[in-house]
């Protein structure tokens, strides 16, 4: 089996002494920190989807989390699937989940994670004054809105460290637009690019064969990058 390709990462707003090393942080560091993660689903699939279950399990292992909490937004309930409301209308429900989780695990670093729409709502929740968030993980952030407009307002308000994981072929988040946004952000931010990945990080077979890697290896590199970034961010907070 061919070795995994080098991790593709880009960083801005680095603190002094930071490096681009994506090796996994020492086990003792993450065990001591023992974060709790609240993980929100995207617009089209609930927390019970195969994608969410797989990433919940892997995030828990990679971060040595005390728990990864998932939930369904109210519009997902019922026999008939409804279209999601505007992200702003989901904030209060999401915030209640976060507060319940914090009450259950007082003293543990709080990580907000989300897939697509869930990552956008997570950023909105992190801006609330009555919640203390250690970091945010955005998996496929939907930077482009209807008509192609760049939705960067909430990102520019953030003061919380934020990790982006994006597919290089994600039409909802052109990397050049994300890079431009990150240069304007006041938060410490990091970006891991899954080469050939779409909005859900799926890589085409031809691309995998050309690069001599597998879908699993590409995702493993993403988890290493997430764990390394969060370890640094939590220790510095």
């Amino acid at each position: 089996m061919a070795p995994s390709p080098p991790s593709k990462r880009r960083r801005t707003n680095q603190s002094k002494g930071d490096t681009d090393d994506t090796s996994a942080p020492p086990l003792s560091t993450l065990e001591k920190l023992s974060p709790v993660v609240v993980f929100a689903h995207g617009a089209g699939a609930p927390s019970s989807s195969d994608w969410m279950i797989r990433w919940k399990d892997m995030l828990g292992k990679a971060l040595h989390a005390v728990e990864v909490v998932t939930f369904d937004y109210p519009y997902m309930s019922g026999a008939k699937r409804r279209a999601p409301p505007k992200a702003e209308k989901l904030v209060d429900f999401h915030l209640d989940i976060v507060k319940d989780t914090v009450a259950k695990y007082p003293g543990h670093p709080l990580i907000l994670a989300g897939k697509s729409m869930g990552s956008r709502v997570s950023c909105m929740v992190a801006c609330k004054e009555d919640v203390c968030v250690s970091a945010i993980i955005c998996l496929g952030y939907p930077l482009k809105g209807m008509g192609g407009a760049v939705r960067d307002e909430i990102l520019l308000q953030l003061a919380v460290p934020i990790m982006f994981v994006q597919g290089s072929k994600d039409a909802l988040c052109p990397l050049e637009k994300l890079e431009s946004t990150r240069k304007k952000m006041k938060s410490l931010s990091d970006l891991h690019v899954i080469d050939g990945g779409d909005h859900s990080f799926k890589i085409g077979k031809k691309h995998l064969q050309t690069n001599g890697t597998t879908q699993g290896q590409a995702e493993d590199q993403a988890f290493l990058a997430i764990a390394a970034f969060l370890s640094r961010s939590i220790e510095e907070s």
Side-chain angles (χ1 to χ4, degrees):
M1 181 178 295
S4 300
S7 174
K8 296 196 172 184
R9 303 170 66 251
R10 302 165 191 173
R11 298 193 62 191
T12 60
N13 303 331
Q14 292 180 342
S15 300
K16 269 190 175 181
D18 282 354
T19 69
D20 284 335
D21 180 22
T22 59
S23 59
L27 181 62
S28 58
T29 299
L30 286 178
E31 283 181 335
K32 182 180 178 181
L33 297 172
S34 188
V36 60
V37 182
V38 177
F39 185 21
H41 64 75
S47 62
S48 58
S49 69
D50 290 343
W51 194 97
M52 283 290 295
I53 291 172
R54 185 175 79 256
W55 277 76
K56 172 185 178 180
D57 180 59
M58 294 303 293
L59 280 173
K61 292 178 181 177
L63 305 181
H64 303 280
V66 63
E67 186 177 354
V68 179
V69 176
T70 56
F71 61 94
D72 288 345
Y73 290 115
Y75 76 88
M76 280 286 180
S77 64
K80 187 176 181 180
R81 181 70 56 83
R82 292 174 289 167
K86 289 186 177 180
E88 292 81 357
K89 294 185 178 297
L90 300 173
V91 172
D92 287 344
F93 181 85
H94 193 142
L95 182 58
D96 285 343
I97 299 293
V98 170
K99 288 181 177 179
D100 287 346
T101 302
V102 170
K104 184 179 178 182
Y105 296 105
H108 289 266
L110 172 64
I111 307 298
L112 300 186
K115 168 71 174 78
S116 189
M117 179 194 73
S119 68
R120 191 159 176 257
V121 182
S122 295
C123 291
M124 294 176 181
V125 170
C127 287
K128 295 294 184 179
E129 294 181 356
D130 52 350
V131 63
C132 182
V133 179
S134 294
I136 309 169
I137 305 169
C138 294
L139 304 174
Y141 191 86
L143 187 62
K144 281 179 62 176
M146 297 295 290
V150 174
R151 301 183 294 190
D152 61 1
E153 295 85 357
I154 195 65
L155 295 177
L156 300 183
Q157 294 176 30
L158 285 172
V160 176
I162 182 168
M163 176 76 188
F164 296 97
V165 178
Q166 302 290 152
S168 65
K169 294 186 177 182
D170 184 356
L172 292 180
C173 188
L175 294 179
E176 68 276 7
K177 293 186 181 297
L178 180 58
E179 284 293 276
S180 177
T181 296
R182 290 179 64 222
K183 289 177 182 178
K184 295 183 289 183
M185 290 171 60
K186 59 186 176 183
S187 296
L188 173 71
S189 69
D190 202 350
L191 168 64
H192 177 85
V193 178
I194 295 182
D195 192 23
D198 63 12
H199 188 54
S200 294
F201 310 145
K202 181 68 175 177
I203 305 171
K205 290 183 179 179
K206 283 189 177 180
H207 193 94
L208 290 173
Q209 291 171 352
T210 300
N211 288 273
T213 188
T214 67
Q215 182 75 39
Q217 288 172 334
E219 292 180 357
D220 285 345
Q221 290 294 314
F223 290 119
L224 283 174
I226 291 169
F229 175 74
L230 292 185
S231 180
R232 291 191 301 270
S233 300
I234 294 173
E235 283 184 319
E236 293 172 5
S237 64

